[in-house]
Amino acid sequence: MQIIAAWGADINHGSGSSYGRFGVWSQVRWRIKRRIYSHRCEAIFSTPPIRARNDGVIIFSMIGTSVMTSYLIAAKSLHHHLKRGRMVIMDDGTLTELDRSLLRRHLDDPHILSLKDVDVGSCPQGGTWERLLTILDIAADDYVIQLDSDTVTVGPVPHVEEAINANRCFTLLGAETQVRTVMEVIEFTKYSFPGGQPSKEDFEGHIQGATESILTRLAITGLDRPRYVRGCSGFAGFARGSNRHLAAAFSQSASAILGAERWKEWGTEQITSNFVIANSENALVLPPSLYENYWGSSPSRDIRFLHFIGTHRWHAWEYQRRSLAVIRTLNAAGRGVALAA
């Protein structure tokens, strides 16, 4: 195991290595790291179960059997630091009876919904749209936190606590944006596109840029001065009293301009989530120095929350190191022992 770990680190960090220049070696490295992660982090199944709190806070995730280990690390680490809420899970269709049994034991009998039972109405099917629409339905009566399985909460999350207490939506900041706050779409367009004017290439490019290029053209009844933020739906909060009406209206308006086929592409749900949050009252963008998408660089010393996006979670050993630290913390808490940071 030590030999494999050292070899993986050499490939990852050695810029002069010929292996690192070829995608095939990256694939091999990622597979090895996934196996090591799964083996070492299965200890999460030996940590104490959480005690759910019926306090008006829902921690919602859509998962399948392939992410059981990482999901329990994500869910338990957030619950440990937030000390609020109960879990609601959407089964992507792959959870087994053993998975469900483990979830009941570890997460205090969470409510498990089925993806196939969600009515998306006029919105696209798939691409996590079922997740967003279900969250907005549930948020009519409870504050709902959307939590991806590839996240790790590593410290106290006071900004999340404050958002819940004030019933404010929140979002993790998204990628490749200098705009770090919610603003009107006219201002967002001015700051986000060269010269403040989207190009034909923007409209025809990736669905996120394409949609953001038409924000000023959207016609949504009752929304005279719409707002937007490039957030990340991997970690987002939806205030109690929310509903799916704005999401559906945004979807219909964007689809009418971009075309129905383009609007089915992966990523439209996240853009819609960003729009819904931005147009809620006093929405919060979590400070990116404390709540971060991990792209392979070392996090800040005071980091509280990490979202390990895609294959970036296998860069270096940060994801595994943080996950194992969670397992130690949970076990120590079960014994009534406080670990030093």
Side-chain angles (χ1 to χ4, degrees), residues 1-8 36:
M1 188 73 71
Q2 290 175 340
I3 293 173
I4 292 174
W7 175 75
I36 295 170

Short mmCIF file of all heavy atoms in Angstrom, two decimals, residues 1-8 36:
data_model
loop_
_atom_site.label_atom_id
_atom_site.label_comp_id
_atom_site.label_asym_id
_atom_site.label_seq_id
_atom_site.Cartn_x
_atom_site.Cartn_y
_atom_site.Cartn_z
N MET A 1 0.83 -1.21 0.00
CA MET A 1 0.00 0.00 0.00
C MET A 1 0.86 1.25 0.00
O MET A 1 0.60 2.20 -0.72
CB MET A 1 -0.92 -0.02 1.23
CG MET A 1 -1.95 1.09 1.23
SD MET A 1 -3.27 0.79 0.02
CE MET A 1 -4.13 -0.55 0.81
N GLN A 2 1.94 1.28 0.80
CA GLN A 2 2.82 2.44 0.86
C GLN A 2 3.52 2.67 -0.47
O GLN A 2 3.72 3.81 -0.90
CB GLN A 2 3.84 2.27 1.98
CG GLN A 2 3.22 2.35 3.38
CD GLN A 2 4.22 2.05 4.46
OE1 GLN A 2 5.26 1.45 4.20
NE2 GLN A 2 3.92 2.48 5.67
N ILE A 3 3.90 1.57 -1.14
CA ILE A 3 4.56 1.69 -2.44
C ILE A 3 3.61 2.32 -3.46
O ILE A 3 3.97 3.23 -4.20
CB ILE A 3 5.04 0.32 -2.95
CG1 ILE A 3 6.17 -0.19 -2.03
CG2 ILE A 3 5.54 0.41 -4.38
CD1 ILE A 3 6.60 -1.60 -2.33
N ILE A 4 2.37 1.84 -3.48
CA ILE A 4 1.38 2.38 -4.41
C ILE A 4 1.13 3.85 -4.12
O ILE A 4 1.06 4.68 -5.02
CB ILE A 4 0.06 1.59 -4.32
CG1 ILE A 4 0.26 0.17 -4.85
CG2 ILE A 4 -1.05 2.29 -5.10
CD1 ILE A 4 -0.93 -0.72 -4.66
N ALA A 5 1.01 4.20 -2.84
CA ALA A 5 0.75 5.59 -2.47
C ALA A 5 1.88 6.50 -2.92
O ALA A 5 1.66 7.58 -3.47
CB ALA A 5 0.55 5.70 -0.95
N ALA A 6 3.10 6.06 -2.70
CA ALA A 6 4.24 6.88 -3.10
C ALA A 6 4.30 7.04 -4.61
O ALA A 6 4.57 8.11 -5.14
CB ALA A 6 5.53 6.25 -2.59
N TRP A 7 4.01 5.96 -5.33
CA TRP A 7 4.04 5.99 -6.80
C TRP A 7 2.99 6.97 -7.32
O TRP A 7 3.25 7.79 -8.19
CB TRP A 7 3.78 4.59 -7.33
CG TRP A 7 3.67 4.52 -8.82
CD1 TRP A 7 4.67 4.61 -9.74
CD2 TRP A 7 2.47 4.35 -9.57
NE1 TRP A 7 4.16 4.51 -11.00
CE2 TRP A 7 2.82 4.33 -10.93
CE3 TRP A 7 1.13 4.20 -9.22
CZ2 TRP A 7 1.88 4.18 -11.93
CZ3 TRP A 7 0.20 4.04 -10.22
CH2 TRP A 7 0.58 4.04 -11.57
N GLY A 8 1.77 6.91 -6.71
CA GLY A 8 0.71 7.81 -7.14
C GLY A 8 1.09 9.26 -6.90
O GLY A 8 0.84 10.14 -7.73
N ILE A 36 -7.90 2.63 -3.06
CA ILE A 36 -7.30 2.87 -1.74
C ILE A 36 -8.29 3.62 -0.85
O ILE A 36 -8.47 3.30 0.33
CB ILE A 36 -5.99 3.66 -1.89
CG1 ILE A 36 -4.95 2.82 -2.64
CG2 ILE A 36 -5.44 4.05 -0.52
CD1 ILE A 36 -3.71 3.59 -3.02
#
